[in-house]
């Protein structure tokens, strides 16, 4: 077997194996991309309804400002898959309140100081919204549990595999059927349309 | 089926490349270093007719001063009107006193890589800015194409009889791992 033929065969195998190994990530990306088309416009997002409320006993140390108190509560309530807090504020009853992001839907945390209780309202997201969050996972994001971390590494690996398949697919076409007129036209059309839109937006 | 797989692959080649590169840019953003947008400031005197509404002012800036994008976040406070004109990779912040129309415009233009990331998340056909709608349609077709590309690829692999053993192991690993990881993570409520 000549060197050229060997390169072709190995590339074909790798292209196929990469696709099979990363199929589940592909599916998640595809579903997320299709769903994105139907997401609400900027500024029109409405959070899902409250699906569960939990109350946790908490006594605050007396010498903390709002930011430090928020950190202390965030550490104490141990929300599963918590990935950051934001919107720290006082509500209309002067209770300290803040939001927590999780892959499985946001939490609204309110400290009811007079009762010594932290109330956690869960707004569970839809499965599609969950998949959308998971499609953004990588080695530096959503590293929260063993499974979520493994998915993050797998997702990152799949992105590299996707890049490889983009180029190897092009190579496999050029190596086998470069003269195919409709294929040439398909490639030319995608390049022209995408480049035209890029320059229009840029 | 071979032709369908090839057609889908070539038809979405550039978009697939953009999605891959923008994803990798997002993953390695911290390692690549923070890139600051290029900031340009300019002052514009809005004509009286454009002061009727913020939308009229925005239209004037788009037609006469080259700003392009969706009109967002219109606010009025202490006699000063502010809004943004947004498109992937560029945000123009506009502020002007409603009485005089002396507009101050701050334009933040992102690098090409950051623009790719903005395009990655550009979705829906609700934009006033038509190229953003067209891009969203193209991204939607690419996403659907990705699913079909995967399905046609599996069919083509299945026809390779000598690759069935290794292929089955890889595909099963992918599907089982994916389902288990996604299911167990979803249980963490």
């Amino acid at each position: 077997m000549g060197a050229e033929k060997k390169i072709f065969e190995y590339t074909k195998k790798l292209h196929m194996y990469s696709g099979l190994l990363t199929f589940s990530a592909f599916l998640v990306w595809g579903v997320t991309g299709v769903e994105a088309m139907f997401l609400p416009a900027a500024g029109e997002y409405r959070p899902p309804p409250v699906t569960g409320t939990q109350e946790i006993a908490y006594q605050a140390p007396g010498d903390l400002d709002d930011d430090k108190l928020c950190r202390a509560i965030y550490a104490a309530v141990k929300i599963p898959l918590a990935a950051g807090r934001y919107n720290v504020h006082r509500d209309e009853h002067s209770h300290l309140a803040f939001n927590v992001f999780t892959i499985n839907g946001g939490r609204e945390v309110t400290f009811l100081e007079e009762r010594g209780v932290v109330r956690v309202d869960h707004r569970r997201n839809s499965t599609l919204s969950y998949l959308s969050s998971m499609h953004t996972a990588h080695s530096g994001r959503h590293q929260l549990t063993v499974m979520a971390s493994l998915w993050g590494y797998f997702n990152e690996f799949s992105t590299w595999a996707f890049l490889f398949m983009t180029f190897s697919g092009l190579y496999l076409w050029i190596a086998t059927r470069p003269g195919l007129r409709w294929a040439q036209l398909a490639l030319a059309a995608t390049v022209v349309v995408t480049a035209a839109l890029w320059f229009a937006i840029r | 089926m071979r032709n369908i797989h090839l057609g889908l692959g070539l038809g979405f080649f550039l978009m697939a490349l953009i999605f891959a590169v923008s994803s990798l840019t997002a993953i390695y953003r911290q390692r690549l270093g923070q890139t600051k947008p290029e900031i340009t400031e300019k002052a514009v005197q809005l004509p009286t007719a454009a002061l009727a509404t913020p939308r009229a002012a925005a239209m004037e800036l788009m037609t006469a001063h080259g700003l392009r994008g969706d009109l967002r976040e219109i606010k009025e406070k202490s006699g000063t009107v502010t809004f943004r004109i947004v498109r992937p990779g560029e945000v123009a912040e506009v502020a002007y006193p409603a009485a005089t129309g002396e507009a101050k415009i701050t334009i933040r233009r992102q690098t090409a890589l950051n623009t790719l990331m903005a395009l990655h998340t550009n979705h829906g056909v609700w934009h006033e800015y038509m190229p953003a709608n067209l891009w969203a349609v193209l991204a939607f077709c690419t996403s659907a194409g990705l699913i079909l590309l995967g399905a046609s690829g599996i069919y083509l692999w299945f026809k390779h009889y000598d690759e069935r053993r290794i292929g089955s192991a890889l595909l099963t690993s992918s599907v089982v791992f994916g389902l288990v990881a996604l299911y167990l993570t979803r249980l963490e409520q």
Side-chain angles (χ1 to χ4, degrees):
Chain A
M1 196 189 283
E4 212 169 295
K5 179 83 176 156
K6 262 188 184 168
I7 290 170
F8 174 79
E9 287 301 330
Y10 282 127
T11 307
K12 191 177 168 186
K13 269 183 193 289
L14 272 178
H15 184 88
M16 190 160 38
Y17 295 164
S18 303
L20 291 167
L21 189 58
T22 59
F23 177 70
S24 51
F26 250 61
L27 210 53
V28 169
W29 300 345
V31 168
T32 300
V34 169
E35 186 233 357
M37 185 71 168
F38 307 102
L39 290 176
E44 287 181 13
Y45 169 77
R46 296 284 173 274
V50 173
T51 49
T53 298
Q54 192 186 0
E55 290 197 338
I56 301 157
Y58 182 77
Q59 290 300 324
D63 56 345
L64 301 181
D65 62 23
D66 278 3
D67 189 53
K68 285 179 183 162
L69 181 57
C70 171
R71 279 187 215 188
I73 293 171
Y74 180 77
V77 294
K78 292 187 173 56
I79 293 169
L81 300 175
R85 59 201 168 80
Y86 60 98
N87 188 27
V88 182
H89 65 285
R90 290 273 166 179
D91 69 9
E92 66 274 19
H93 305 295
S94 292
H95 295 134
L96 178 73
F98 58 95
N99 293 67
V100 174
F101 172 81
T102 91
I103 303 167
N104 286 316
R107 303 295 204 286
E108 287 164 3
V109 181
T110 310
F111 180 36
L112 309 171
E113 198 161 5
E114 68 281 4
R115 289 176 51 205
V117 157
V118 173
R119 192 183 68 219
V120 182
D121 292 320
H122 183 194
R123 292 180 184 271
R124 186 183 156 99
N125 55 358
S126 66
T127 303
L128 288 175
S129 172
Y130 163 69
L131 288 179
S132 177
S133 287
M134 289 303 274
H135 108 282
T136 66
H138 55 75
S139 60
R141 187 178 161 86
H142 298 336
Q143 298 292 294
L144 302 156
T145 61
V146 173
M147 271 302 159
S149 300
L150 287 175
W151 175 265
Y153 284 110
F154 174 68
N155 210 34
E156 186 170 326
F157 167 76
S158 301
T159 309
W160 282 108
F162 183 41
L163 186 67
F164 166 73
M165 282 185 282
T166 307
F167 286 113
S168 58
L170 193 66
Y171 162 75
L172 292 173
W173 165 57
I174 291 169
T176 51
R177 298 179 288 167
L180 220 53
R181 179 59 70 192
W182 65 262
Q184 293 170 349
L185 289 173
L187 182 62
T190 187
V191 170
V192 168
V193 170
T194 313
L197 270 178
W198 167 262
F199 285 113
I201 288 170
R202 216 34 206 154
Chain B
M1 191 56 77
R2 205 170 157 221
N3 283 346
I4 291 173
H5 192 73
L6 176 65
L8 287 168
L10 290 177
F12 297 115
F13 169 73
L14 207 51
M15 282 299 282
L17 195 59
I18 285 171
F19 273 119
V21 171
S22 57
S23 300
L24 291 170
T25 306
I27 292 169
Y28 301 111
R29 189 167 18 188
Q30 291 200 323
R31 270 173 257 183
L32 289 169
Q34 294 289 333
T35 48
K36 288 182 180 167
E38 179 191 315
I39 298 174
T40 316
E41 290 186 338
K42 58 181 177 180
V44 166
Q45 177 60 55
L46 292 167
T48 313
L51 298 180
T53 62
R55 180 165 293 277
M59 288 302 138
E60 166 69 18
L61 292 171
M62 288 186 205
T63 50
H65 299 279
L67 296 187
R68 289 176 290 143
D70 293 328
L71 175 59
R72 289 191 200 165
E73 295 174 51
I74 301 169
K75 289 174 192 160
E76 188 162 0
K77 197 176 175 185
S78 312
T80 300
V81 177
T82 59
F83 57 77
R84 290 176 158 208
I85 296 175
V86 180
R87 71 173 198 267
E90 191 176 296
V91 177
E93 292 167 354
V94 179
Y96 63 91
T100 64
E102 291 164 3
K104 187 187 163 200
I105 306 168
T106 307
I107 299 170
R108 294 174 204 281
R109 186 173 163 81
Q110 298 289 351
T111 60
L113 280 178
N114 284 348
T115 302
L116 284 182
M117 285 203 293
L119 285 169
H120 190 125
T121 55
N122 177 73
H123 65 273
V125 287
W126 43 265
H127 302 273
E128 293 172 273
Y129 182 56
M130 192 46 69
N133 286 333
L134 294 175
W135 191 278
V137 170
L138 201 55
F140 170 77
C141 294
T142 306
S143 301
L146 208 61
I147 296 171
L148 297 175
L149 206 55
S152 57
I154 285 177
Y155 177 86
L156 290 175
W157 153 72
F158 198 69
K159 290 288 172 190
H160 278 270
Y161 296 98
D162 51 339
E163 294 288 356
R164 277 195 182 168
R165 187 175 291 181
I166 297 175
S168 299
L170 292 172
L171 183 61
T172 307
S173 307
S174 178
V175 172
V176 170
F177 167 73
L179 285 175
V180 169
L182 292 171
Y183 180 69
L184 290 182
T185 306
R186 184 60 166 165
L187 288 183
E188 298 276 342
Q189 299 281 341

